[in-house]
């Protein structure tokens, strides 16, 4: 598989600091959205992505990462954040790591919190991470619809995070990579401003991954830019 990717982040129009951090270094593509005022959120998300960057695969480009090993790094990040911020700050993390198993390339999707990973496949956009949030629990219980969740007053409350609380396990999911797959990883500053149809339109219209990222961020700013917004777009093509 040949990967082509773009990435970008913007403070947005309302926040004084950018508490999002990201890593886009083949085979690791992930975004952390820090929370906790007075720059603590920035510290939390920074520790998280710097810890992930220590995965040996980031230096070697190796495709042999496993969920078990990644989870060890996340536990280390969790401890580091607690130590640095006195458990006053936490961070989400979502993204993909490209792994190969018996000659098959996969997206190892990882998620904790409410940043998101989507896949555009055959023109269809689907969210491949499941939010850890109060509103997602209400949706799962059938109490509200996804559309109601998007405008719910408690939509920003996460139920799992690194560095704070007692639920620190990420979810992992392995998806075989299909030729032409496009992955979008984003912080909630994107999907809080643009609905999935709008995101899908931009991803479908812009073939270049960096141009797609730039357009997504500009669209989020035009919609209000109420939060920090970070995006990574990764395209996978079978090598011929
Ligand atoms: Mg955010």
């Amino acid at each position: 598989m040949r990967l082509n990717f773009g990435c970008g982040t913007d403070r947005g129009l309302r926040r004084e600091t950018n508490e999002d951090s990201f890593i886009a270094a083949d085979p690791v593509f992930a975004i952390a959205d820090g929370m906790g005022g007075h720059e603590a959120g920035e510290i939390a998300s920074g520790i998280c992505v710097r810890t992930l960057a220590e995965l040996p695969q980031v230096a070697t480009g190796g495709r042999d990462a496993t969920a078990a090993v990644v989870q060890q790094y996340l536990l280390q990040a969790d401890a580091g954040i607690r130590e640095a911020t006195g458990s006053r700050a936490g961070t989400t993390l979502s993204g993909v790591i490209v792994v190969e198993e018996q000659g098959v390339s996969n997206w190892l999707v990882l998620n904790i919190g409410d940043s998101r990973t989507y896949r555009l496949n055959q023109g269809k956009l689907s969210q491949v991470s499941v939010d850890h949030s109060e509103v997602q629990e209400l949706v799962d219980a059938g109490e509200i619809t996804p559309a109601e969740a998007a405008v719910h007053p408690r939509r920003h409350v996460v139920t799992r995070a690194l560095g704070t609380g007692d639920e620190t396990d990420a979810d992992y999911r392995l998806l075989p990579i299909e030729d032409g797959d496009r992955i979008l990883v984003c912080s909630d500053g994107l999907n809080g401003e643009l609905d999935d149809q709008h995101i899908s339109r931009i991803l479908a219209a812009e073939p270049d991954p960096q141009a797609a990222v730039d357009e997504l961020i500009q669209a989020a700013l035009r919609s209000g830019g109420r939060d920090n917004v970070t995006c990574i777009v990764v395209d996978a093509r079978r090598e011929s």
Side-chain angles (χ1 to χ4, degrees):
M1 282 292 167
R2 194 162 48 81
L3 302 181
N4 197 4
F5 62 91
C7 50
T9 187
D10 195 286
R11 183 165 54 89
L13 305 175
R14 306 272 184 88
R15 299 287 176 93
E16 284 179 8
T17 56
N18 191 343
E19 300 190 314
D20 290 355
S21 300
F22 68 93
I23 173 170
D26 186 358
V28 180
F29 304 92
I31 292 173
D33 179 346
M35 51 213 145
H38 303 290
E39 289 167 19
E42 211 174 328
I43 293 168
S45 67
I47 289 172
C48 179
V49 299
R50 280 198 304 277
T51 306
L52 263 191
E54 289 167 10
L55 277 166
Q57 287 81 9
V58 171
T60 63
R63 302 275 164 99
D64 56 344
T66 63
V69 169
V70 173
Q71 184 60 33
Q72 291 307 309
Y73 279 75
L74 296 191
L75 288 176
Q76 205 179 305
D78 177 68
I81 294 165
R82 285 172 200 268
E83 195 179 300
T85 69
S87 299
R88 284 181 303 109
T91 187
T92 72
L93 179 71
S94 194
V96 292
I97 299 177
V98 178
V99 302
E100 230 171 77
E101 252 180 41
Q102 293 165 344
V104 178
S105 294
N106 297 282
W107 304 113
L108 173 63
V109 180
L110 48 132
N111 186 64
I112 178 161
D114 67 348
S115 295
R116 288 185 171 176
T117 300
Y118 292 87
R119 173 160 75 161
L120 185 73
N121 174 279
Q122 318 268 11
K124 195 178 170 299
L125 185 73
S126 41
Q127 186 182 339
V128 291
S129 60
V130 177
D131 296 350
H132 300 131
S133 64
E134 278 194 8
V135 290
Q136 182 64 45
E137 289 180 358
L138 292 173
V139 170
D140 291 344
E143 289 177 30
I144 62 172
T145 65
E148 287 167 339
V151 295
H152 196 281
R154 290 181 66 78
R155 65 188 176 280
H156 298 298
V157 181
V158 299
T159 51
R160 270 197 237 177
L162 289 174
T164 187
D166 41 42
E167 292 243 43
T168 54
D169 282 346
D171 288 336
Y172 297 91
R173 177 176 178 189
L174 210 53
L175 294 173
I177 299 179
E178 290 180 20
D179 189 27
D181 267 3
R182 171 169 270 193
I183 291 289
L184 165 68
V185 187
C186 65
S187 60
D188 65 343
L190 184 77
N191 57 274
E193 297 292 357
L194 309 181
D195 63 24
D196 287 5
Q197 289 91 324
H198 195 163
I199 291 172
S200 176
R201 263 202 318 277
I202 292 170
L203 287 174
E206 186 46 77
D208 178 69
Q210 186 61 53
V213 164
D214 295 343
E215 181 50 33
L216 286 166
I217 291 174
Q218 287 309 313
L221 297 178
R222 284 195 299 272
S223 297
R226 280 160 281 203
D227 194 2
N228 310 139
V229 52
T230 306
C231 299
I232 303 172
V233 169
V234 189
D235 289 330
R237 292 271 178 287
R238 192 154 288 144
E239 280 166 302
S240 46

Short mmCIF file of all heavy atoms in Angstrom, two decimals, residues 15 20 33 187-189 227-228, ligand 1:
data_model
loop_
_atom_site.label_atom_id
_atom_site.label_comp_id
_atom_site.label_asym_id
_atom_site.label_seq_id
_atom_site.Cartn_x
_atom_site.Cartn_y
_atom_site.Cartn_z
N ARG A 15 -11.05 30.35 20.66
CA ARG A 15 -10.17 29.87 21.73
C ARG A 15 -8.85 30.63 21.71
O ARG A 15 -8.35 31.00 20.66
CB ARG A 15 -9.90 28.37 21.57
CG ARG A 15 -11.15 27.50 21.63
CD ARG A 15 -11.67 27.42 23.06
NE ARG A 15 -12.93 26.68 23.12
CZ ARG A 15 -13.01 25.37 23.36
NH1 ARG A 15 -11.90 24.68 23.57
NH2 ARG A 15 -14.18 24.77 23.41
N ASP A 20 -5.19 21.04 20.78
CA ASP A 20 -5.08 19.82 19.98
C ASP A 20 -3.61 19.55 19.66
O ASP A 20 -2.82 20.49 19.52
CB ASP A 20 -5.81 19.98 18.63
CG ASP A 20 -7.32 20.03 18.74
OD1 ASP A 20 -7.84 19.85 19.86
OD2 ASP A 20 -7.97 20.24 17.70
N ASP A 33 -7.02 15.62 21.56
CA ASP A 33 -7.70 16.88 21.88
C ASP A 33 -7.66 17.04 23.40
O ASP A 33 -8.38 16.36 24.13
CB ASP A 33 -9.14 16.80 21.34
CG ASP A 33 -9.96 18.05 21.64
OD1 ASP A 33 -9.53 18.88 22.48
OD2 ASP A 33 -11.04 18.20 21.05
N SER A 187 -10.49 16.32 15.19
CA SER A 187 -10.95 16.68 16.52
C SER A 187 -12.38 17.21 16.40
O SER A 187 -12.86 17.48 15.29
CB SER A 187 -10.01 17.72 17.16
OG SER A 187 -9.96 18.89 16.38
N ASP A 188 -13.07 17.34 17.54
CA ASP A 188 -14.48 17.71 17.48
C ASP A 188 -14.70 19.15 17.00
O ASP A 188 -15.83 19.54 16.74
CB ASP A 188 -15.18 17.46 18.83
CG ASP A 188 -14.66 18.33 19.95
OD1 ASP A 188 -13.55 18.91 19.80
OD2 ASP A 188 -15.34 18.44 20.99
N GLY A 189 -13.63 19.91 16.87
CA GLY A 189 -13.75 21.24 16.26
C GLY A 189 -14.15 21.16 14.79
O GLY A 189 -14.63 22.13 14.21
N ASP A 227 -14.09 25.94 18.18
CA ASP A 227 -13.13 25.10 18.91
C ASP A 227 -11.87 24.97 18.04
O ASP A 227 -11.88 25.29 16.86
CB ASP A 227 -13.76 23.72 19.18
CG ASP A 227 -13.00 22.91 20.21
OD1 ASP A 227 -12.00 23.40 20.77
OD2 ASP A 227 -13.43 21.76 20.47
N ASN A 228 -10.81 24.49 18.65
CA ASN A 228 -9.62 24.14 17.88
C ASN A 228 -10.02 23.06 16.89
O ASN A 228 -10.81 22.18 17.21
CB ASN A 228 -8.53 23.55 18.78
CG ASN A 228 -8.22 24.37 20.02
OD1 ASN A 228 -8.03 23.82 21.09
ND2 ASN A 228 -8.18 25.69 19.90
MG1 LIG B 1 -12.07 19.99 20.85
#
